[in-house]
PDB file of all heavy atoms in Angstrom:
ATOM      1  N   PHE A   1     -18.133 151.205  91.912  1.00  0.00           N
ATOM      2  CA  PHE A   1     -18.829 150.291  92.821  1.00  0.00           C
ATOM      3  C   PHE A   1     -20.276 150.123  92.655  1.00  0.00           C
ATOM      4  O   PHE A   1     -20.980 149.551  93.473  1.00  0.00           O
ATOM      5  CB  PHE A   1     -18.481 150.726  94.244  1.00  0.00           C
ATOM      6  CG  PHE A   1     -17.055 150.470  94.675  1.00  0.00           C
ATOM      7  CD1 PHE A   1     -16.094 151.586  94.599  1.00  0.00           C
ATOM      8  CD2 PHE A   1     -16.603 149.296  95.126  1.00  0.00           C
ATOM      9  CE1 PHE A   1     -14.895 151.418  94.951  1.00  0.00           C
ATOM     10  CE2 PHE A   1     -15.297 149.121  95.487  1.00  0.00           C
ATOM     11  CZ  PHE A   1     -14.357 150.201  95.351  1.00  0.00           C
ATOM     12  N   ASN A   2     -20.795 150.722  91.527  1.00  0.00           N
ATOM     13  CA  ASN A   2     -22.245 150.697  91.369  1.00  0.00           C
ATOM     14  C   ASN A   2     -22.903 149.328  91.386  1.00  0.00           C
ATOM     15  O   ASN A   2     -23.978 149.140  91.899  1.00  0.00           O
ATOM     16  CB  ASN A   2     -22.670 151.489  90.030  1.00  0.00           C
ATOM     17  CG  ASN A   2     -22.469 152.979  90.176  1.00  0.00           C
ATOM     18  OD1 ASN A   2     -22.640 153.521  91.286  1.00  0.00           O
ATOM     19  ND2 ASN A   2     -22.198 153.665  89.050  1.00  0.00           N
ATOM     20  N   GLU A   3     -22.242 148.437  90.705  1.00  0.00           N
ATOM     21  CA  GLU A   3     -22.780 147.104  90.665  1.00  0.00           C
ATOM     22  C   GLU A   3     -22.937 146.365  92.071  1.00  0.00           C
ATOM     23  O   GLU A   3     -23.949 145.789  92.347  1.00  0.00           O
ATOM     24  CB  GLU A   3     -21.926 146.188  89.751  1.00  0.00           C
ATOM     25  CG  GLU A   3     -22.519 144.816  89.439  1.00  0.00           C
ATOM     26  CD  GLU A   3     -21.632 144.015  88.485  1.00  0.00           C
ATOM     27  OE1 GLU A   3     -20.520 144.352  88.207  1.00  0.00           O
ATOM     28  OE2 GLU A   3     -22.160 142.861  88.113  1.00  0.00           O
ATOM     29  N   VAL A   4     -21.888 146.481  92.863  1.00  0.00           N
ATOM     30  CA  VAL A   4     -21.991 145.861  94.235  1.00  0.00           C
ATOM     31  C   VAL A   4     -22.903 146.674  95.057  1.00  0.00           C
ATOM     32  O   VAL A   4     -23.614 146.115  95.908  1.00  0.00           O
ATOM     33  CB  VAL A   4     -20.653 145.750  94.988  1.00  0.00           C
ATOM     34  CG1 VAL A   4     -19.909 144.535  94.327  1.00  0.00           C
ATOM     35  CG2 VAL A   4     -19.746 147.036  94.832  1.00  0.00           C
ATOM     36  N   MET A   5     -23.001 148.010  94.884  1.00  0.00           N
ATOM     37  CA  MET A   5     -23.954 148.776  95.632  1.00  0.00           C
ATOM     38  C   MET A   5     -25.402 148.362  95.316  1.00  0.00           C
ATOM     39  O   MET A   5     -26.219 148.331  96.204  1.00  0.00           O
ATOM     40  CB  MET A   5     -23.750 150.295  95.279  1.00  0.00           C
ATOM     41  CG  MET A   5     -22.539 150.926  95.825  1.00  0.00           C
ATOM     42  SD  MET A   5     -22.431 151.229  97.488  1.00  0.00           S
ATOM     43  CE  MET A   5     -23.340 152.818  97.613  1.00  0.00           C
ATOM     44  N   GLN A   6     -25.675 148.076  94.098  1.00  0.00           N
ATOM     45  CA  GLN A   6     -27.024 147.589  93.686  1.00  0.00           C
ATOM     46  C   GLN A   6     -27.295 146.280  94.201  1.00  0.00           C
ATOM     47  O   GLN A   6     -28.390 145.996  94.719  1.00  0.00           O
ATOM     48  CB  GLN A   6     -27.106 147.590  92.106  1.00  0.00           C
ATOM     49  CG  GLN A   6     -27.097 148.860  91.530  1.00  0.00           C
ATOM     50  CD  GLN A   6     -27.060 148.799  89.958  1.00  0.00           C
ATOM     51  OE1 GLN A   6     -27.071 147.813  89.360  1.00  0.00           O
ATOM     52  NE2 GLN A   6     -26.948 150.017  89.315  1.00  0.00           N
ATOM     53  N   GLN A   7     -26.239 145.431  94.274  1.00  0.00           N
ATOM     54  CA  GLN A   7     -26.498 144.090  95.054  1.00  0.00           C
ATOM     55  C   GLN A   7     -26.794 144.178  96.451  1.00  0.00           C
ATOM     56  O   GLN A   7     -27.677 143.398  97.007  1.00  0.00           O
ATOM     57  CB  GLN A   7     -25.227 143.196  94.795  1.00  0.00           C
ATOM     58  CG  GLN A   7     -24.933 142.799  93.436  1.00  0.00           C
ATOM     59  CD  GLN A   7     -25.819 141.725  92.960  1.00  0.00           C
ATOM     60  OE1 GLN A   7     -26.520 141.065  93.803  1.00  0.00           O
ATOM     61  NE2 GLN A   7     -25.957 141.435  91.691  1.00  0.00           N
ATOM     62  N   MET A   8     -26.238 145.220  97.118  1.00  0.00           N
ATOM     63  CA  MET A   8     -26.562 145.407  98.497  1.00  0.00           C
ATOM     64  C   MET A   8     -27.926 145.865  98.799  1.00  0.00           C
ATOM     65  O   MET A   8     -28.384 145.827  99.917  1.00  0.00           O
ATOM     66  CB  MET A   8     -25.542 146.421  99.068  1.00  0.00           C
ATOM     67  CG  MET A   8     -24.008 145.877  99.221  1.00  0.00           C
ATOM     68  SD  MET A   8     -24.033 144.503 100.454  1.00  0.00           S
ATOM     69  CE  MET A   8     -24.317 145.396 101.927  1.00  0.00           C
ATOM     70  N   GLU A   9     -28.693 146.345  97.774  1.00  0.00           N
ATOM     71  CA  GLU A   9     -30.024 146.696  97.914  1.00  0.00           C
ATOM     72  C   GLU A   9     -30.920 145.505  98.373  1.00  0.00           C
ATOM     73  O   GLU A   9     -32.029 145.643  98.913  1.00  0.00           O
ATOM     74  CB  GLU A   9     -30.631 147.379  96.655  1.00  0.00           C
ATOM     75  CG  GLU A   9     -30.063 148.720  96.418  1.00  0.00           C
ATOM     76  CD  GLU A   9     -30.529 149.325  95.015  1.00  0.00           C
ATOM     77  OE1 GLU A   9     -31.428 148.660  94.441  1.00  0.00           O
ATOM     78  OE2 GLU A   9     -30.045 150.391  94.617  1.00  0.00           O
ATOM     79  N   GLN A  10     -30.354 144.329  97.886  1.00  0.00           N
ATOM     80  CA  GLN A  10     -31.167 143.118  98.283  1.00  0.00           C
ATOM     81  C   GLN A  10     -30.833 142.534  99.784  1.00  0.00           C
ATOM     82  O   GLN A  10     -31.488 141.568 100.163  1.00  0.00           O
ATOM     83  CB  GLN A  10     -30.722 141.952  97.212  1.00  0.00           C
ATOM     84  CG  GLN A  10     -30.786 142.358  95.902  1.00  0.00           C
ATOM     85  CD  GLN A  10     -32.163 142.909  95.432  1.00  0.00           C
ATOM     86  OE1 GLN A  10     -33.228 142.277  95.856  1.00  0.00           O
ATOM     87  NE2 GLN A  10     -32.129 144.037  94.731  1.00  0.00           N
ATOM     88  N   THR A  11     -29.935 143.224 100.433  1.00  0.00           N
ATOM     89  CA  THR A  11     -29.622 142.740 101.838  1.00  0.00           C
ATOM     90  C   THR A  11     -30.416 143.506 102.859  1.00  0.00           C
ATOM     91  O   THR A  11     -30.809 144.736 102.518  1.00  0.00           O
ATOM     92  CB  THR A  11     -28.145 142.873 102.085  1.00  0.00           C
ATOM     93  OG1 THR A  11     -27.764 144.290 102.053  1.00  0.00           O
ATOM     94  CG2 THR A  11     -27.310 142.162 101.038  1.00  0.00           C
ATOM     95  N   ASP A  12     -30.599 142.898 103.913  1.00  0.00           N
ATOM     96  CA  ASP A  12     -31.351 143.578 105.135  1.00  0.00           C
ATOM     97  C   ASP A  12     -30.451 144.019 106.233  1.00  0.00           C
ATOM     98  O   ASP A  12     -29.406 143.506 106.396  1.00  0.00           O
ATOM     99  CB  ASP A  12     -32.431 142.564 105.593  1.00  0.00           C
ATOM    100  CG  ASP A  12     -33.436 142.158 104.576  1.00  0.00           C
ATOM    101  OD1 ASP A  12     -33.855 143.059 103.806  1.00  0.00           O
ATOM    102  OD2 ASP A  12     -33.775 140.945 104.502  1.00  0.00           O
ATOM    103  N   ILE A  13     -30.929 144.949 106.973  1.00  0.00           N
ATOM    104  CA  ILE A  13     -30.379 145.361 108.156  1.00  0.00           C
ATOM    105  C   ILE A  13     -31.087 144.692 109.267  1.00  0.00           C
ATOM    106  O   ILE A  13     -32.351 144.785 109.362  1.00  0.00           O
ATOM    107  CB  ILE A  13     -30.411 146.973 108.398  1.00  0.00           C
ATOM    108  CG1 ILE A  13     -29.559 147.613 107.295  1.00  0.00           C
ATOM    109  CG2 ILE A  13     -29.886 147.366 109.791  1.00  0.00           C
ATOM    110  CD1 ILE A  13     -29.718 149.147 107.242  1.00  0.00           C
ATOM    111  N   PRO A  14     -30.374 143.968 110.174  1.00  0.00           N
ATOM    112  CA  PRO A  14     -31.198 143.222 111.230  1.00  0.00           C
ATOM    113  C   PRO A  14     -31.947 144.179 112.212  1.00  0.00           C
ATOM    114  O   PRO A  14     -31.504 145.382 112.330  1.00  0.00           O
ATOM    115  CB  PRO A  14     -30.074 142.469 111.921  1.00  0.00           C
ATOM    116  CG  PRO A  14     -28.822 143.227 111.634  1.00  0.00           C
ATOM    117  CD  PRO A  14     -29.005 143.804 110.301  1.00  0.00           C
ATOM    118  N   ALA A  15     -32.901 143.735 112.847  1.00  0.00           N
ATOM    119  CA  ALA A  15     -33.646 144.547 113.789  1.00  0.00           C
ATOM    120  C   ALA A  15     -32.818 144.952 114.986  1.00  0.00           C
ATOM    121  O   ALA A  15     -32.953 146.088 115.572  1.00  0.00           O
ATOM    122  CB  ALA A  15     -34.901 143.843 114.299  1.00  0.00           C
ATOM    123  N   GLU A  16     -31.807 144.008 115.375  1.00  0.00           N
ATOM    124  CA  GLU A  16     -30.908 144.274 116.437  1.00  0.00           C
ATOM    125  C   GLU A  16     -29.542 143.778 116.116  1.00  0.00           C
ATOM    126  O   GLU A  16     -29.399 142.896 115.345  1.00  0.00           O
ATOM    127  CB  GLU A  16     -31.374 143.614 117.801  1.00  0.00           C
ATOM    128  CG  GLU A  16     -32.730 144.077 118.258  1.00  0.00           C
ATOM    129  CD  GLU A  16     -33.139 143.377 119.530  1.00  0.00           C
ATOM    130  OE1 GLU A  16     -32.348 142.444 120.018  1.00  0.00           O
ATOM    131  OE2 GLU A  16     -34.174 143.712 120.053  1.00  0.00           O
ATOM    132  N   GLY A  17     -28.578 144.412 116.642  1.00  0.00           N
ATOM    133  CA  GLY A  17     -27.192 143.952 116.450  1.00  0.00           C
ATOM    134  C   GLY A  17     -26.691 144.143 115.071  1.00  0.00           C
ATOM    135  O   GLY A  17     -27.202 144.913 114.200  1.00  0.00           O
ATOM    136  N   ASN A  18     -25.672 143.294 114.759  1.00  0.00           N
ATOM    137  CA  ASN A  18     -25.003 143.331 113.373  1.00  0.00           C
ATOM    138  C   ASN A  18     -25.053 141.954 112.783  1.00  0.00           C
ATOM    139  O   ASN A  18     -25.108 140.972 113.435  1.00  0.00           O
ATOM    140  CB  ASN A  18     -23.499 143.722 113.444  1.00  0.00           C
ATOM    141  CG  ASN A  18     -23.401 145.160 114.047  1.00  0.00           C
ATOM    142  OD1 ASN A  18     -24.326 146.062 113.991  1.00  0.00           O
ATOM    143  ND2 ASN A  18     -22.331 145.421 114.734  1.00  0.00           N
ATOM    144  N   VAL A  19     -25.032 141.940 111.451  1.00  0.00           N
ATOM    145  CA  VAL A  19     -24.833 140.644 110.686  1.00  0.00           C
ATOM    146  C   VAL A  19     -23.546 140.796 109.877  1.00  0.00           C
ATOM    147  O   VAL A  19     -23.403 141.906 109.134  1.00  0.00           O
ATOM    148  CB  VAL A  19     -26.016 140.275 109.891  1.00  0.00           C
ATOM    149  CG1 VAL A  19     -26.383 141.314 108.856  1.00  0.00           C
ATOM    150  CG2 VAL A  19     -25.758 138.884 109.197  1.00  0.00           C
ATOM    151  N   TYR A  20     -22.676 139.897 109.863  1.00  0.00           N
ATOM    152  CA  TYR A  20     -21.430 139.960 109.006  1.00  0.00           C
ATOM    153  C   TYR A  20     -21.308 138.616 108.328  1.00  0.00           C
ATOM    154  O   TYR A  20     -21.235 137.592 108.908  1.00  0.00           O
ATOM    155  CB  TYR A  20     -20.204 140.213 109.866  1.00  0.00           C
ATOM    156  CG  TYR A  20     -18.914 140.120 109.050  1.00  0.00           C
ATOM    157  CD1 TYR A  20     -18.701 140.806 107.998  1.00  0.00           C
ATOM    158  CD2 TYR A  20     -17.875 139.146 109.486  1.00  0.00           C
ATOM    159  CE1 TYR A  20     -17.530 140.674 107.319  1.00  0.00           C
ATOM    160  CE2 TYR A  20     -16.767 138.973 108.791  1.00  0.00           C
ATOM    161  CZ  TYR A  20     -16.484 139.851 107.641  1.00  0.00           C
ATOM    162  OH  TYR A  20     -15.399 139.701 106.871  1.00  0.00           O
ATOM    163  N   LEU A  21     -21.209 138.724 107.017  1.00  0.00           N
ATOM    164  CA  LEU A  21     -20.961 137.631 106.166  1.00  0.00           C
ATOM    165  C   LEU A  21     -19.599 137.822 105.486  1.00  0.00           C
ATOM    166  O   LEU A  21     -19.364 138.875 104.755  1.00  0.00           O
ATOM    167  CB  LEU A  21     -22.078 137.458 105.054  1.00  0.00           C
ATOM    168  CG  LEU A  21     -23.458 137.247 105.597  1.00  0.00           C
ATOM    169  CD1 LEU A  21     -24.494 137.084 104.498  1.00  0.00           C
ATOM    170  CD2 LEU A  21     -23.587 136.030 106.496  1.00  0.00           C
ATOM    171  N   THR A  22     -18.681 136.802 105.599  1.00  0.00           N
ATOM    172  CA  THR A  22     -17.355 137.027 105.060  1.00  0.00           C
ATOM    173  C   THR A  22     -17.242 137.019 103.653  1.00  0.00           C
ATOM    174  O   THR A  22     -16.470 137.768 102.958  1.00  0.00           O
ATOM    175  CB  THR A  22     -16.450 135.998 105.651  1.00  0.00           C
ATOM    176  OG1 THR A  22     -16.933 134.655 105.167  1.00  0.00           O
ATOM    177  CG2 THR A  22     -16.309 135.930 107.151  1.00  0.00           C
ATOM    178  N   SER A  23     -18.091 136.140 102.910  1.00  0.00           N
ATOM    179  CA  SER A  23     -17.926 135.961 101.526  1.00  0.00           C
ATOM    180  C   SER A  23     -19.360 135.768 100.841  1.00  0.00           C
ATOM    181  O   SER A  23     -20.048 134.768 101.315  1.00  0.00           O
ATOM    182  CB  SER A  23     -17.129 134.718 101.234  1.00  0.00           C
ATOM    183  OG  SER A  23     -17.017 134.356  99.832  1.00  0.00           O
ATOM    184  N   VAL A  24     -19.731 136.562  99.954  1.00  0.00           N
ATOM    185  CA  VAL A  24     -21.110 136.557  99.424  1.00  0.00           C
ATOM    186  C   VAL A  24     -20.981 136.390  97.887  1.00  0.00           C
ATOM    187  O   VAL A  24     -20.284 137.248  97.284  1.00  0.00           O
ATOM    188  CB  VAL A  24     -21.836 137.899  99.820  1.00  0.00           C
ATOM    189  CG1 VAL A  24     -23.196 137.879  99.089  1.00  0.00           C
ATOM    190  CG2 VAL A  24     -22.041 138.045 101.309  1.00  0.00           C
ATOM    191  N   LYS A  25     -21.506 135.288  97.423  1.00  0.00           N
ATOM    192  CA  LYS A  25     -21.439 134.951  95.937  1.00  0.00           C
ATOM    193  C   LYS A  25     -21.827 136.083  95.072  1.00  0.00           C
ATOM    194  O   LYS A  25     -21.210 136.471  94.046  1.00  0.00           O
ATOM    195  CB  LYS A  25     -22.246 133.705  95.729  1.00  0.00           C
ATOM    196  CG  LYS A  25     -22.156 133.205  94.286  1.00  0.00           C
ATOM    197  CD  LYS A  25     -22.978 131.914  94.139  1.00  0.00           C
ATOM    198  CE  LYS A  25     -22.971 131.372  92.703  1.00  0.00           C
ATOM    199  NZ  LYS A  25     -23.759 130.120  92.524  1.00  0.00           N
ATOM    200  N   GLN A  26     -23.004 136.780  95.333  1.00  0.00           N
ATOM    201  CA  GLN A  26     -23.431 137.788  94.445  1.00  0.00           C
ATOM    202  C   GLN A  26     -22.515 138.936  94.319  1.00  0.00           C
ATOM    203  O   GLN A  26     -22.467 139.590  93.324  1.00  0.00           O
ATOM    204  CB  GLN A  26     -24.834 138.263  94.957  1.00  0.00           C
ATOM    205  CG  GLN A  26     -25.964 137.305  94.774  1.00  0.00           C
ATOM    206  CD  GLN A  26     -26.020 136.236  95.964  1.00  0.00           C
ATOM    207  OE1 GLN A  26     -25.119 136.179  96.783  1.00  0.00           O
ATOM    208  NE2 GLN A  26     -27.127 135.600  96.140  1.00  0.00           N
ATOM    209  N   LEU A  27     -21.842 139.241  95.440  1.00  0.00           N
ATOM    210  CA  LEU A  27     -20.810 140.390  95.383  1.00  0.00           C
ATOM    211  C   LEU A  27     -19.572 139.925  94.688  1.00  0.00           C
ATOM    212  O   LEU A  27     -18.974 140.713  93.916  1.00  0.00           O
ATOM    213  CB  LEU A  27     -20.473 140.790  96.856  1.00  0.00           C
ATOM    214  CG  LEU A  27     -21.701 141.384  97.689  1.00  0.00           C
ATOM    215  CD1 LEU A  27     -21.109 141.717  99.030  1.00  0.00           C
ATOM    216  CD2 LEU A  27     -22.328 142.514  97.049  1.00  0.00           C
ATOM    217  N   GLU A  28     -19.196 138.632  94.856  1.00  0.00           N
ATOM    218  CA  GLU A  28     -17.955 138.219  94.282  1.00  0.00           C
ATOM    219  C   GLU A  28     -18.025 137.925  92.828  1.00  0.00           C
ATOM    220  O   GLU A  28     -16.995 137.687  92.137  1.00  0.00           O
ATOM    221  CB  GLU A  28     -17.480 137.063  95.037  1.00  0.00           C
ATOM    222  CG  GLU A  28     -17.092 137.315  96.481  1.00  0.00           C
ATOM    223  CD  GLU A  28     -16.604 136.197  97.308  1.00  0.00           C
ATOM    224  OE1 GLU A  28     -16.772 134.930  96.887  1.00  0.00           O
ATOM    225  OE2 GLU A  28     -16.028 136.370  98.327  1.00  0.00           O
ATOM    226  N   GLN A  29     -19.272 137.888  92.259  1.00  0.00           N
ATOM    227  CA  GLN A  29     -19.447 137.629  90.801  1.00  0.00           C
ATOM    228  C   GLN A  29     -19.476 138.922  90.017  1.00  0.00           C
ATOM    229  O   GLN A  29     -19.672 138.990  88.769  1.00  0.00           O
ATOM    230  CB  GLN A  29     -20.688 136.865  90.622  1.00  0.00           C
ATOM    231  CG  GLN A  29     -20.676 135.483  91.030  1.00  0.00           C
ATOM    232  CD  GLN A  29     -22.070 134.716  90.846  1.00  0.00           C
ATOM    233  OE1 GLN A  29     -23.075 135.299  90.795  1.00  0.00           O
ATOM    234  NE2 GLN A  29     -21.947 133.390  90.680  1.00  0.00           N
ATOM    235  N   THR A  30     -19.139 140.080  90.686  1.00  0.00           N
ATOM    236  CA  THR A  30     -19.112 141.383  90.056  1.00  0.00           C
ATOM    237  C   THR A  30     -17.770 141.738  89.508  1.00  0.00           C
ATOM    238  O   THR A  30     -16.788 141.116  89.879  1.00  0.00           O
ATOM    239  CB  THR A  30     -19.554 142.487  91.018  1.00  0.00           C
ATOM    240  OG1 THR A  30     -18.720 142.451  92.155  1.00  0.00           O
ATOM    241  CG2 THR A  30     -20.994 142.267  91.552  1.00  0.00           C
ATOM    242  N   ALA A  31     -17.751 142.610  88.590  1.00  0.00           N
ATOM    243  CA  ALA A  31     -16.421 142.994  87.943  1.00  0.00           C
ATOM    244  C   ALA A  31     -15.399 143.588  88.940  1.00  0.00           C
ATOM    245  O   ALA A  31     -14.182 143.508  88.704  1.00  0.00           O
ATOM    246  CB  ALA A  31     -16.651 143.931  86.787  1.00  0.00           C
ATOM    247  N   ILE A  32     -15.906 144.254  89.941  1.00  0.00           N
ATOM    248  CA  ILE A  32     -15.068 144.985  90.872  1.00  0.00           C
ATOM    249  C   ILE A  32     -14.108 144.071  91.605  1.00  0.00           C
ATOM    250  O   ILE A  32     -12.958 144.412  92.004  1.00  0.00           O
ATOM    251  CB  ILE A  32     -15.901 145.874  91.828  1.00  0.00           C
ATOM    252  CG1 ILE A  32     -15.007 146.840  92.533  1.00  0.00           C
ATOM    253  CG2 ILE A  32     -16.598 144.945  92.843  1.00  0.00           C
ATOM    254  CD1 ILE A  32     -14.426 147.909  91.607  1.00  0.00           C
ATOM    255  N   LYS A  33     -14.563 142.775  91.805  1.00  0.00           N
ATOM    256  CA  LYS A  33     -13.693 141.875  92.555  1.00  0.00           C
ATOM    257  C   LYS A  33     -12.408 141.702  91.897  1.00  0.00           C
ATOM    258  O   LYS A  33     -11.257 141.782  92.487  1.00  0.00           O
ATOM    259  CB  LYS A  33     -14.322 140.448  92.766  1.00  0.00           C
ATOM    260  CG  LYS A  33     -13.436 139.538  93.503  1.00  0.00           C
ATOM    261  CD  LYS A  33     -13.900 138.096  93.540  1.00  0.00           C
ATOM    262  CE  LYS A  33     -12.952 137.150  94.243  1.00  0.00           C
ATOM    263  NZ  LYS A  33     -13.235 135.809  94.201  1.00  0.00           N
ATOM    264  N   GLY A  34     -12.411 141.396  90.537  1.00  0.00           N
ATOM    265  CA  GLY A  34     -11.141 141.254  89.864  1.00  0.00           C
ATOM    266  C   GLY A  34     -10.212 142.478  89.802  1.00  0.00           C
ATOM    267  O   GLY A  34      -8.989 142.369  89.793  1.00  0.00           O
ATOM    268  N   GLN A  35     -10.985 143.648  89.721  1.00  0.00           N
ATOM    269  CA  GLN A  35     -10.160 144.912  89.716  1.00  0.00           C
ATOM    270  C   GLN A  35      -9.503 145.166  91.006  1.00  0.00           C
ATOM    271  O   GLN A  35      -8.273 145.528  91.007  1.00  0.00           O
ATOM    272  CB  GLN A  35     -11.102 146.015  89.391  1.00  0.00           C
ATOM    273  CG  GLN A  35     -11.684 145.997  87.994  1.00  0.00           C
ATOM    274  CD  GLN A  35     -12.801 147.125  87.785  1.00  0.00           C
ATOM    275  OE1 GLN A  35     -12.906 148.008  88.555  1.00  0.00           O
ATOM    276  NE2 GLN A  35     -13.559 146.893  86.730  1.00  0.00           N
ATOM    277  N   LEU A  36     -10.145 144.914  92.125  1.00  0.00           N
ATOM    278  CA  LEU A  36      -9.539 145.116  93.499  1.00  0.00           C
ATOM    279  C   LEU A  36      -8.527 144.008  93.662  1.00  0.00           C
ATOM    280  O   LEU A  36      -7.369 144.353  94.204  1.00  0.00           O
ATOM    281  CB  LEU A  36     -10.627 145.043  94.587  1.00  0.00           C
ATOM    282  CG  LEU A  36     -11.757 146.106  94.487  1.00  0.00           C
ATOM    283  CD1 LEU A  36     -12.784 145.824  95.601  1.00  0.00           C
ATOM    284  CD2 LEU A  36     -11.064 147.583  94.735  1.00  0.00           C
ATOM    285  N   GLN A  37      -8.809 142.863  93.327  1.00  0.00           N
ATOM    286  CA  GLN A  37      -7.762 141.758  93.535  1.00  0.00           C
ATOM    287  C   GLN A  37      -6.535 142.102  92.846  1.00  0.00           C
ATOM    288  O   GLN A  37      -5.380 141.756  93.374  1.00  0.00           O
ATOM    289  CB  GLN A  37      -8.427 140.464  92.975  1.00  0.00           C
ATOM    290  CG  GLN A  37      -7.583 139.170  93.311  1.00  0.00           C
ATOM    291  CD  GLN A  37      -8.302 137.990  93.164  1.00  0.00           C
ATOM    292  OE1 GLN A  37      -9.319 137.670  93.918  1.00  0.00           O
ATOM    293  NE2 GLN A  37      -8.051 137.178  92.139  1.00  0.00           N
ATOM    294  N   GLN A  38      -6.579 142.575  91.610  1.00  0.00           N
ATOM    295  CA  GLN A  38      -5.394 142.850  90.826  1.00  0.00           C
ATOM    296  C   GLN A  38      -4.629 144.229  91.262  1.00  0.00           C
ATOM    297  O   GLN A  38      -3.445 144.162  91.482  1.00  0.00           O
ATOM    298  CB  GLN A  38      -5.769 142.970  89.321  1.00  0.00           C
ATOM    299  CG  GLN A  38      -4.505 143.134  88.442  1.00  0.00           C
ATOM    300  CD  GLN A  38      -3.552 141.918  88.454  1.00  0.00           C
ATOM    301  OE1 GLN A  38      -3.946 140.871  88.592  1.00  0.00           O
ATOM    302  NE2 GLN A  38      -2.177 142.275  88.497  1.00  0.00           N
TER     303      GLN A  38
END
């Protein structure tokens, strides 16, 4: 999961509450998506 973990370094934690994004292009372009899907 190193590639997606690195991508997550570019994301922020909101000052309050939570943020949830269902589908993120940068995460879905990683090799792990195909592995998990299969």
